Amino acid sequence: MDESLRTSGIENVGKIYWGTHIAQLYDSVEDFFNIAVSYITSGLKSNELCLWVYSQNTSFDEIIKFLEVHMDDADSYVKCGQLMLIPYTEIYIEDDTFNEVRANSRWKHYVEMALKEGYEGLRAVADTYWLEKSYYRTFERYEKNIQNTIPEMNFIVLCLYDVRRTDTLQIAEIIKNHSYVIIKNEHNFEVVRNVELQIKDRQLMQAHEHDQLKNEFMANVSHELRTPLNVILGTVQLLELRKTEEDTKEHKYIKILKQNCYRLVRLINNIIDITKIDADFYELKKQDCDIVNLVEEITVSVAEYALSKNITVDYDADTDKKVINCDPDQIERIVLNLLSNAIKFTPAGGKISIFMHDKAEKIELIVKDNGIGIPKDKQQRIFKRFEQVDKSLARHEGSGIGLSLVKALVEKHGGIIKLNSDEGKGSEFIVELPCNVQNIESYQCIDSTFKNSPEKINIEFSDIY
C-alpha cells in the first residue's frame, strides 16, 4: 500500500492516509453534497479513481449538477472514466438482498482497477440511504470487516448516513467503526475523531513502513553479496580448469566449494525475487510458448542428474502441444524447484513422474514422487515463508523460501498450486495454469531457454547431497 498522505478536501479533517474510513451523518441531501463534492473534487485533482455510489435519495443527473457548481469540467471526468457514478444495487444488493461478500469483492475489484489504470488509488462515496433495518445487523458486521480490510489498500471511503433513519445505538456503532464522523451542529459541520481507530491506522502504517524498510534492506544486502560471491565462483571455476587427473583431493574440495557457491547463488536469487514480489515490483516476461515442449525439455535435462542418484524420472502428456502465455524462464524455475524437492526426498531406487493434462482453458502440471511424503499436520505450512517440515540438522531442506517462491510465481501467472501427500508414500504437487494466449499463430517456440540449463540445474539442486 502507498504510504503517502492524501488531501481529504474536508475541512477539519485535512490530510489522511490511505485506508481511512469516514462517515457523515446528514439530515438533508444538500448537507452531504456540501461535503461529498469537495471530497470527490479533491480526489479527481489528486489522480485518484473516484466512485460515487448513489441511493434512492439522489440521481446521476443531480450529482453531475452539484459537481458542476464546483467544477467546470465535471462531465469530462465522467466521460474519461475517472469519475464513476453507479447505483447502490451494483455494490450492495443482489437478488433483493444485501450481500456483504459481493460488496467486499466489488470494492477490491475497483481498487485493483484504479491501480491497473494508473491512478493513485480509489476514493469512494457510499450512500447508505438504501439500508433497511432488516439488513442492519449484517451491515454492521460488514462495516467492521471493511474497517479491518481497507487499511491494506489504496482506498478512502466516505459513508453517508441519513440521521433521520438512524437510531442512537446505530449512531454509536457508526462512530465506533469509522476514523472520522462528520455531524452538523446548527449551521456548522463538526468532526468527531475516533482516536482509537486513528492510532490503529497509524500503527498499521508504521508496520507497513517497517516491512518496506526490511524488504529494501534484504534486497540491498542480497545485491551486495552477489559481487563477492561472483568473484569466489569465478575463482573456483578457474581452479577447476587447472586441475589435473592426479589431484583427487583437490577435485573433492573444488566440488564442495562450487556446490556451496551455487547454494548461496540460489539463496540470494530467491531472497531478491521474493522481496520484489512482496513489494509488487516483480514483472514476468511473458510470451506465447508451447508449455508441453517446455516442460518435456526441462524433464529430459533433469533425468540424467536423477539417474546419478539412482532415481528414475518419467514424463507423460495427454497432448502433444499447448500454447500458453507465460514467462518460460519462471516456468522452468517452478518445474526445477518441484523436481529438486522430489529428488531431495525420494530415496535411491525411487521414481518421479511428471504428467501434463490439457484441460481446455487450463493446463495441469503434476510432479509426483514415491518418497518420504509430508505429514498431514505439516501440509498447511509447506508453502509458507521460511517453513521447513523437519527443522533437524540431519535434513538439508534449504532456507524454506523455495516453495513459497514457487507458489508466488504460479499465482503471478494467474494459476494455483496444490499438494497431495501421504507420509511414507510420497507427494504430488499439482500446478494449474490458465491457457491465455496473445497470438497463437505467431508464438515463439522456446529452444534457446535450455542452453544454460546445466548451470540452472546445479543452482536449483545445490542443496541435494
Short mmCIF file of all heavy atoms in Angstrom, two decimals, residues 300-352:
data_model
loop_
_atom_site.label_atom_id
_atom_site.label_comp_id
_atom_site.label_asym_id
_atom_site.label_seq_id
_atom_site.Cartn_x
_atom_site.Cartn_y
_atom_site.Cartn_z
N VAL A 300 13.76 -33.80 -19.43
CA VAL A 300 14.87 -34.53 -20.07
C VAL A 300 16.21 -34.05 -19.51
O VAL A 300 17.11 -34.84 -19.24
CB VAL A 300 14.82 -34.36 -21.61
CG1 VAL A 300 16.11 -34.88 -22.25
CG2 VAL A 300 13.61 -35.07 -22.18
N SER A 301 16.31 -32.73 -19.31
CA SER A 301 17.58 -32.17 -18.81
C SER A 301 17.87 -32.59 -17.38
O SER A 301 19.02 -32.60 -16.94
CB SER A 301 17.55 -30.65 -18.92
OG SER A 301 16.62 -30.09 -18.00
N VAL A 302 16.83 -32.96 -16.62
CA VAL A 302 16.99 -33.36 -15.21
C VAL A 302 17.16 -34.87 -15.08
O VAL A 302 17.75 -35.35 -14.09
CB VAL A 302 15.76 -32.88 -14.39
CG1 VAL A 302 15.75 -33.48 -12.99
CG2 VAL A 302 15.72 -31.36 -14.31
N ALA A 303 16.67 -35.62 -16.04
CA ALA A 303 16.64 -37.09 -15.93
C ALA A 303 18.01 -37.68 -15.66
O ALA A 303 18.17 -38.59 -14.83
CB ALA A 303 16.04 -37.69 -17.20
N GLU A 304 19.05 -37.17 -16.34
CA GLU A 304 20.40 -37.70 -16.16
C GLU A 304 20.90 -37.46 -14.75
O GLU A 304 21.53 -38.33 -14.14
CB GLU A 304 21.34 -37.06 -17.18
CG GLU A 304 22.74 -37.69 -17.18
CD GLU A 304 23.65 -37.11 -18.26
OE1 GLU A 304 23.13 -36.45 -19.18
OE2 GLU A 304 24.86 -37.32 -18.16
N TYR A 305 20.62 -36.25 -14.23
CA TYR A 305 21.02 -35.94 -12.85
C TYR A 305 20.33 -36.90 -11.88
O TYR A 305 20.95 -37.42 -10.95
CB TYR A 305 20.65 -34.50 -12.52
CG TYR A 305 21.00 -34.08 -11.11
CD1 TYR A 305 22.21 -33.47 -10.83
CD2 TYR A 305 20.12 -34.32 -10.05
CE1 TYR A 305 22.55 -33.09 -9.54
CE2 TYR A 305 20.45 -33.97 -8.75
CZ TYR A 305 21.66 -33.34 -8.50
OH TYR A 305 21.99 -33.00 -7.22
N ALA A 306 19.03 -37.14 -12.08
CA ALA A 306 18.28 -38.03 -11.20
C ALA A 306 18.85 -39.46 -11.24
O ALA A 306 18.94 -40.13 -10.21
CB ALA A 306 16.81 -38.04 -11.59
N LEU A 307 19.25 -39.90 -12.43
CA LEU A 307 19.82 -41.25 -12.57
C LEU A 307 21.10 -41.39 -11.75
O LEU A 307 21.41 -42.47 -11.23
CB LEU A 307 20.10 -41.57 -14.04
CG LEU A 307 18.90 -42.05 -14.86
CD1 LEU A 307 19.28 -42.21 -16.32
CD2 LEU A 307 18.34 -43.37 -14.30
N SER A 308 21.86 -40.27 -11.64
CA SER A 308 23.09 -40.33 -10.83
C SER A 308 22.77 -40.57 -9.36
O SER A 308 23.64 -40.99 -8.59
CB SER A 308 23.89 -39.02 -10.99
OG SER A 308 23.22 -37.94 -10.34
N LYS A 309 21.53 -40.31 -8.95
CA LYS A 309 21.06 -40.57 -7.59
C LYS A 309 20.26 -41.88 -7.53
O LYS A 309 19.60 -42.16 -6.53
CB LYS A 309 20.17 -39.42 -7.10
CG LYS A 309 20.83 -38.05 -7.14
CD LYS A 309 21.89 -37.93 -6.06
CE LYS A 309 22.51 -36.53 -6.07
NZ LYS A 309 23.61 -36.41 -5.08
N ASN A 310 20.30 -42.64 -8.65
CA ASN A 310 19.55 -43.90 -8.77
C ASN A 310 18.03 -43.67 -8.61
O ASN A 310 17.33 -44.45 -7.97
CB ASN A 310 20.04 -44.93 -7.74
CG ASN A 310 19.57 -46.34 -8.07
OD1 ASN A 310 19.23 -46.65 -9.22
ND2 ASN A 310 19.51 -47.19 -7.05
N ILE A 311 17.56 -42.59 -9.22
CA ILE A 311 16.12 -42.25 -9.23
C ILE A 311 15.69 -42.13 -10.69
O ILE A 311 16.35 -41.43 -11.48
CB ILE A 311 15.85 -40.94 -8.48
CG1 ILE A 311 16.22 -41.07 -7.00
CG2 ILE A 311 14.38 -40.52 -8.62
CD1 ILE A 311 16.21 -39.75 -6.24
N THR A 312 14.60 -42.77 -11.08
CA THR A 312 14.11 -42.67 -12.45
C THR A 312 13.07 -41.55 -12.55
O THR A 312 12.31 -41.30 -11.62
CB THR A 312 13.48 -43.99 -12.92
OG1 THR A 312 12.40 -44.33 -12.04
CG2 THR A 312 14.50 -45.11 -12.91
N VAL A 313 13.06 -40.90 -13.71
CA VAL A 313 12.12 -39.82 -13.97
C VAL A 313 11.32 -40.16 -15.23
O VAL A 313 11.90 -40.38 -16.29
CB VAL A 313 12.84 -38.47 -14.17
CG1 VAL A 313 11.84 -37.37 -14.52
CG2 VAL A 313 13.62 -38.09 -12.91
N ASP A 314 10.00 -40.21 -15.10
CA ASP A 314 9.11 -40.49 -16.23
C ASP A 314 8.33 -39.23 -16.60
O ASP A 314 7.99 -38.42 -15.73
CB ASP A 314 8.10 -41.60 -15.88
CG ASP A 314 8.78 -42.96 -15.74
OD1 ASP A 314 9.91 -43.11 -16.25
OD2 ASP A 314 8.18 -43.85 -15.12
N TYR A 315 8.04 -39.11 -17.89
CA TYR A 315 7.26 -37.96 -18.37
C TYR A 315 6.12 -38.46 -19.25
O TYR A 315 6.30 -39.36 -20.07
CB TYR A 315 8.14 -37.00 -19.17
CG TYR A 315 7.38 -35.89 -19.85
CD1 TYR A 315 7.04 -34.73 -19.17
CD2 TYR A 315 6.97 -36.02 -21.18
CE1 TYR A 315 6.33 -33.71 -19.78
CE2 TYR A 315 6.26 -35.01 -21.81
CZ TYR A 315 5.93 -33.87 -21.10
OH TYR A 315 5.21 -32.87 -21.71
N ASP A 316 4.93 -37.89 -19.06
CA ASP A 316 3.78 -38.28 -19.89
C ASP A 316 2.87 -37.07 -20.06
O ASP A 316 2.70 -36.27 -19.13
CB ASP A 316 3.01 -39.42 -19.22
CG ASP A 316 1.91 -39.97 -20.13
OD1 ASP A 316 2.11 -39.99 -21.36
OD2 ASP A 316 0.84 -40.33 -19.61
N ALA A 317 2.31 -36.91 -21.26
CA ALA A 317 1.37 -35.82 -21.54
C ALA A 317 0.24 -36.34 -22.41
O ALA A 317 0.46 -37.19 -23.27
CB ALA A 317 2.10 -34.67 -22.25
N ASP A 318 -0.96 -35.82 -22.17
CA ASP A 318 -2.10 -36.27 -22.98
C ASP A 318 -2.34 -35.37 -24.19
O ASP A 318 -3.35 -35.46 -24.86
CB ASP A 318 -3.37 -36.38 -22.12
CG ASP A 318 -3.78 -35.05 -21.50
OD1 ASP A 318 -3.23 -33.99 -21.89
OD2 ASP A 318 -4.66 -35.06 -20.60
N THR A 319 -1.36 -34.48 -24.45
CA THR A 319 -1.42 -33.64 -25.65
C THR A 319 0.00 -33.38 -26.13
O THR A 319 0.94 -33.35 -25.33
CB THR A 319 -2.12 -32.30 -25.35
OG1 THR A 319 -2.18 -31.52 -26.56
CG2 THR A 319 -1.39 -31.48 -24.29
N ASP A 320 0.16 -33.24 -27.43
CA ASP A 320 1.50 -33.00 -27.99
C ASP A 320 1.90 -31.54 -27.93
O ASP A 320 3.09 -31.21 -28.01
CB ASP A 320 1.56 -33.47 -29.46
CG ASP A 320 1.40 -34.98 -29.59
OD1 ASP A 320 1.81 -35.67 -28.63
OD2 ASP A 320 0.86 -35.44 -30.61
N LYS A 321 0.91 -30.65 -27.79
CA LYS A 321 1.22 -29.22 -27.86
C LYS A 321 0.15 -28.42 -27.15
O LYS A 321 -1.04 -28.71 -27.27
CB LYS A 321 1.31 -28.80 -29.34
CG LYS A 321 1.58 -27.34 -29.58
CD LYS A 321 1.67 -27.10 -31.10
CE LYS A 321 1.84 -25.64 -31.45
NZ LYS A 321 1.90 -25.41 -32.89
N LYS A 322 0.59 -27.41 -26.39
CA LYS A 322 -0.35 -26.49 -25.74
C LYS A 322 0.34 -25.14 -25.60
O LYS A 322 1.28 -24.98 -24.83
CB LYS A 322 -0.76 -27.01 -24.36
CG LYS A 322 -1.89 -26.21 -23.71
CD LYS A 322 -3.21 -26.44 -24.42
CE LYS A 322 -4.37 -25.77 -23.70
NZ LYS A 322 -5.66 -26.04 -24.35
N VAL A 323 -0.12 -24.17 -26.37
CA VAL A 323 0.47 -22.84 -26.35
C VAL A 323 -0.23 -21.99 -25.30
O VAL A 323 -1.45 -21.86 -25.31
CB VAL A 323 0.37 -22.16 -27.73
CG1 VAL A 323 0.96 -20.75 -27.68
CG2 VAL A 323 1.07 -23.00 -28.79
N ILE A 324 0.55 -21.44 -24.35
CA ILE A 324 0.00 -20.52 -23.36
C ILE A 324 0.90 -19.30 -23.25
O ILE A 324 2.06 -19.31 -23.68
CB ILE A 324 -0.17 -21.18 -21.97
CG1 ILE A 324 1.18 -21.38 -21.28
CG2 ILE A 324 -0.92 -22.49 -22.06
CD1 ILE A 324 1.07 -21.71 -19.80
N ASN A 325 0.36 -18.24 -22.67
CA ASN A 325 1.14 -17.02 -22.46
C ASN A 325 1.77 -17.09 -21.08
O ASN A 325 1.07 -17.06 -20.07
CB ASN A 325 0.22 -15.80 -22.58
CG ASN A 325 0.99 -14.49 -22.64
OD1 ASN A 325 0.88 -13.65 -21.77
ND2 ASN A 325 1.78 -14.31 -23.68
N CYS A 326 3.10 -17.20 -21.03
CA CYS A 326 3.79 -17.37 -19.75
C CYS A 326 5.21 -16.84 -19.85
O CYS A 326 5.69 -16.48 -20.93
CB CYS A 326 3.80 -18.84 -19.33
SG CYS A 326 4.75 -19.89 -20.46
N ASP A 327 5.90 -16.80 -18.72
CA ASP A 327 7.32 -16.47 -18.68
C ASP A 327 8.09 -17.79 -18.66
O ASP A 327 8.12 -18.47 -17.64
CB ASP A 327 7.63 -15.65 -17.42
CG ASP A 327 9.08 -15.20 -17.35
OD1 ASP A 327 9.95 -15.90 -17.90
OD2 ASP A 327 9.36 -14.16 -16.71
N PRO A 328 8.70 -18.20 -19.76
CA PRO A 328 9.33 -19.53 -19.83
C PRO A 328 10.44 -19.72 -18.80
O PRO A 328 10.61 -20.82 -18.27
CB PRO A 328 9.86 -19.61 -21.27
CG PRO A 328 9.86 -18.22 -21.78
CD PRO A 328 8.79 -17.48 -21.05
N ASP A 329 11.20 -18.65 -18.51
CA ASP A 329 12.27 -18.77 -17.51
C ASP A 329 11.70 -19.09 -16.13
O ASP A 329 12.27 -19.89 -15.38
CB ASP A 329 13.09 -17.49 -17.43
CG ASP A 329 14.02 -17.33 -18.62
OD1 ASP A 329 14.40 -18.37 -19.20
OD2 ASP A 329 14.37 -16.19 -18.97
N GLN A 330 10.57 -18.48 -15.79
CA GLN A 330 9.98 -18.72 -14.48
C GLN A 330 9.23 -20.05 -14.42
O GLN A 330 9.17 -20.69 -13.37
CB GLN A 330 9.05 -17.56 -14.09
CG GLN A 330 9.76 -16.20 -14.00
CD GLN A 330 11.10 -16.27 -13.27
OE1 GLN A 330 11.22 -16.93 -12.25
NE2 GLN A 330 12.10 -15.59 -13.82
N ILE A 331 8.69 -20.49 -15.56
CA ILE A 331 8.10 -21.84 -15.62
C ILE A 331 9.20 -22.87 -15.38
O ILE A 331 9.03 -23.84 -14.63
CB ILE A 331 7.40 -22.09 -16.97
CG1 ILE A 331 6.19 -21.16 -17.15
CG2 ILE A 331 6.99 -23.56 -17.09
CD1 ILE A 331 5.06 -21.39 -16.16
N GLU A 332 10.35 -22.64 -16.01
CA GLU A 332 11.49 -23.54 -15.80
C GLU A 332 11.89 -23.55 -14.33
O GLU A 332 12.16 -24.61 -13.75
CB GLU A 332 12.67 -23.10 -16.66
CG GLU A 332 13.88 -24.01 -16.52
CD GLU A 332 15.06 -23.57 -17.36
OE1 GLU A 332 14.99 -22.49 -17.97
OE2 GLU A 332 16.05 -24.32 -17.40
N ARG A 333 11.87 -22.39 -13.72
CA ARG A 333 12.25 -22.29 -12.30
C ARG A 333 11.26 -23.05 -11.40
O ARG A 333 11.64 -23.73 -10.46
CB ARG A 333 12.28 -20.81 -11.91
CG ARG A 333 13.06 -20.53 -10.66
CD ARG A 333 13.29 -19.06 -10.57
NE ARG A 333 13.97 -18.69 -9.36
CZ ARG A 333 14.15 -17.43 -8.99
NH1 ARG A 333 13.68 -16.46 -9.75
NH2 ARG A 333 14.77 -17.15 -7.87
N ILE A 334 9.98 -22.92 -11.73
CA ILE A 334 8.94 -23.63 -10.98
C ILE A 334 9.15 -25.14 -11.08
O ILE A 334 9.15 -25.86 -10.07
CB ILE A 334 7.53 -23.25 -11.50
CG1 ILE A 334 7.19 -21.80 -11.12
CG2 ILE A 334 6.47 -24.22 -10.97
CD1 ILE A 334 6.00 -21.23 -11.89
N VAL A 335 9.34 -25.62 -12.30
CA VAL A 335 9.48 -27.06 -12.53
C VAL A 335 10.76 -27.59 -11.89
O VAL A 335 10.76 -28.64 -11.23
CB VAL A 335 9.44 -27.39 -14.04
CG1 VAL A 335 9.67 -28.89 -14.26
CG2 VAL A 335 8.12 -26.95 -14.65
N LEU A 336 11.88 -26.86 -12.06
CA LEU A 336 13.14 -27.30 -11.46
C LEU A 336 13.04 -27.35 -9.94
O LEU A 336 13.58 -28.27 -9.31
CB LEU A 336 14.29 -26.37 -11.87
CG LEU A 336 14.81 -26.52 -13.31
CD1 LEU A 336 15.88 -25.47 -13.60
CD2 LEU A 336 15.37 -27.92 -13.55
N ASN A 337 12.36 -26.40 -9.35
CA ASN A 337 12.22 -26.39 -7.89
C ASN A 337 11.41 -27.59 -7.41
O ASN A 337 11.77 -28.25 -6.43
CB ASN A 337 11.56 -25.09 -7.44
CG ASN A 337 11.72 -24.84 -5.96
OD1 ASN A 337 11.19 -25.58 -5.14
ND2 ASN A 337 12.46 -23.80 -5.62
N LEU A 338 10.31 -27.87 -8.11
CA LEU A 338 9.48 -29.03 -7.73
C LEU A 338 10.23 -30.34 -7.93
O LEU A 338 10.15 -31.26 -7.10
CB LEU A 338 8.18 -29.03 -8.54
CG LEU A 338 7.21 -27.87 -8.25
CD1 LEU A 338 6.00 -27.96 -9.18
CD2 LEU A 338 6.76 -27.88 -6.79
N LEU A 339 11.01 -30.44 -9.03
CA LEU A 339 11.81 -31.65 -9.26
C LEU A 339 12.93 -31.78 -8.23
O LEU A 339 13.25 -32.87 -7.77
CB LEU A 339 12.39 -31.63 -10.68
CG LEU A 339 11.39 -31.90 -11.81
CD1 LEU A 339 12.03 -31.63 -13.17
CD2 LEU A 339 10.87 -33.33 -11.74
N SER A 340 13.52 -30.64 -7.85
CA SER A 340 14.56 -30.63 -6.82
C SER A 340 14.04 -31.19 -5.51
O SER A 340 14.67 -32.03 -4.87
CB SER A 340 15.08 -29.21 -6.62
OG SER A 340 15.85 -29.11 -5.45
N ASN A 341 12.83 -30.74 -5.11
CA ASN A 341 12.22 -31.25 -3.88
C ASN A 341 11.92 -32.74 -3.99
O ASN A 341 12.11 -33.49 -3.03
CB ASN A 341 10.93 -30.48 -3.58
CG ASN A 341 11.18 -29.22 -2.79
OD1 ASN A 341 11.51 -29.26 -1.61
ND2 ASN A 341 11.08 -28.09 -3.46
N ALA A 342 11.43 -33.15 -5.17
CA ALA A 342 11.10 -34.57 -5.36
C ALA A 342 12.36 -35.44 -5.24
O ALA A 342 12.35 -36.47 -4.57
CB ALA A 342 10.44 -34.76 -6.72
N ILE A 343 13.46 -35.01 -5.88
CA ILE A 343 14.71 -35.78 -5.82
C ILE A 343 15.26 -35.79 -4.40
O ILE A 343 15.74 -36.81 -3.90
CB ILE A 343 15.75 -35.19 -6.81
CG1 ILE A 343 15.28 -35.41 -8.26
CG2 ILE A 343 17.12 -35.81 -6.58
CD1 ILE A 343 16.11 -34.68 -9.29
N LYS A 344 15.16 -34.65 -3.73
CA LYS A 344 15.71 -34.50 -2.38
C LYS A 344 15.09 -35.48 -1.39
O LYS A 344 15.76 -36.03 -0.52
CB LYS A 344 15.48 -33.06 -1.91
CG LYS A 344 16.26 -32.65 -0.68
CD LYS A 344 15.85 -31.24 -0.21
CE LYS A 344 15.98 -30.22 -1.29
NZ LYS A 344 15.58 -28.86 -0.82
N PHE A 345 13.78 -35.72 -1.56
CA PHE A 345 13.06 -36.53 -0.58
C PHE A 345 12.62 -37.90 -1.12
O PHE A 345 11.74 -38.53 -0.57
CB PHE A 345 11.87 -35.75 -0.04
CG PHE A 345 12.28 -34.48 0.66
CD1 PHE A 345 11.98 -33.24 0.11
CD2 PHE A 345 12.99 -34.54 1.85
CE1 PHE A 345 12.38 -32.07 0.75
CE2 PHE A 345 13.39 -33.38 2.50
CZ PHE A 345 13.09 -32.15 1.95
N THR A 346 13.25 -38.29 -2.23
CA THR A 346 12.99 -39.63 -2.78
C THR A 346 14.25 -40.47 -2.61
O THR A 346 15.32 -40.07 -3.07
CB THR A 346 12.60 -39.56 -4.27
OG1 THR A 346 11.41 -38.77 -4.40
CG2 THR A 346 12.34 -40.94 -4.84
N PRO A 347 14.16 -41.62 -1.97
CA PRO A 347 15.37 -42.44 -1.75
C PRO A 347 15.84 -43.11 -3.03
O PRO A 347 15.12 -43.17 -4.03
CB PRO A 347 14.88 -43.49 -0.72
CG PRO A 347 13.41 -43.58 -0.95
CD PRO A 347 12.95 -42.20 -1.36
N ALA A 348 17.07 -43.59 -2.99
CA ALA A 348 17.64 -44.32 -4.13
C ALA A 348 16.71 -45.49 -4.49
O ALA A 348 16.18 -46.17 -3.62
CB ALA A 348 19.03 -44.83 -3.79
N GLY A 349 16.53 -45.67 -5.81
CA GLY A 349 15.62 -46.70 -6.29
C GLY A 349 14.20 -46.20 -6.46
O GLY A 349 13.32 -46.94 -6.92
N GLY A 350 13.97 -44.94 -6.11
CA GLY A 350 12.63 -44.36 -6.21
C GLY A 350 12.30 -43.87 -7.61
O GLY A 350 13.10 -43.98 -8.55
N LYS A 351 11.11 -43.30 -7.72
CA LYS A 351 10.61 -42.88 -9.04
C LYS A 351 9.88 -41.54 -8.93
O LYS A 351 9.15 -41.29 -7.97
CB LYS A 351 9.64 -43.95 -9.58
CG LYS A 351 9.05 -43.63 -10.94
CD LYS A 351 8.10 -44.75 -11.38
CE LYS A 351 7.43 -44.43 -12.69
NZ LYS A 351 6.47 -45.48 -13.10
N ILE A 352 10.11 -40.68 -9.93
CA ILE A 352 9.42 -39.39 -10.03
C ILE A 352 8.68 -39.37 -11.37
O ILE A 352 9.24 -39.73 -12.41
CB ILE A 352 10.42 -38.21 -9.96
CG1 ILE A 352 11.12 -38.20 -8.61
CG2 ILE A 352 9.70 -36.88 -10.19
CD1 ILE A 352 12.30 -37.24 -8.54
#
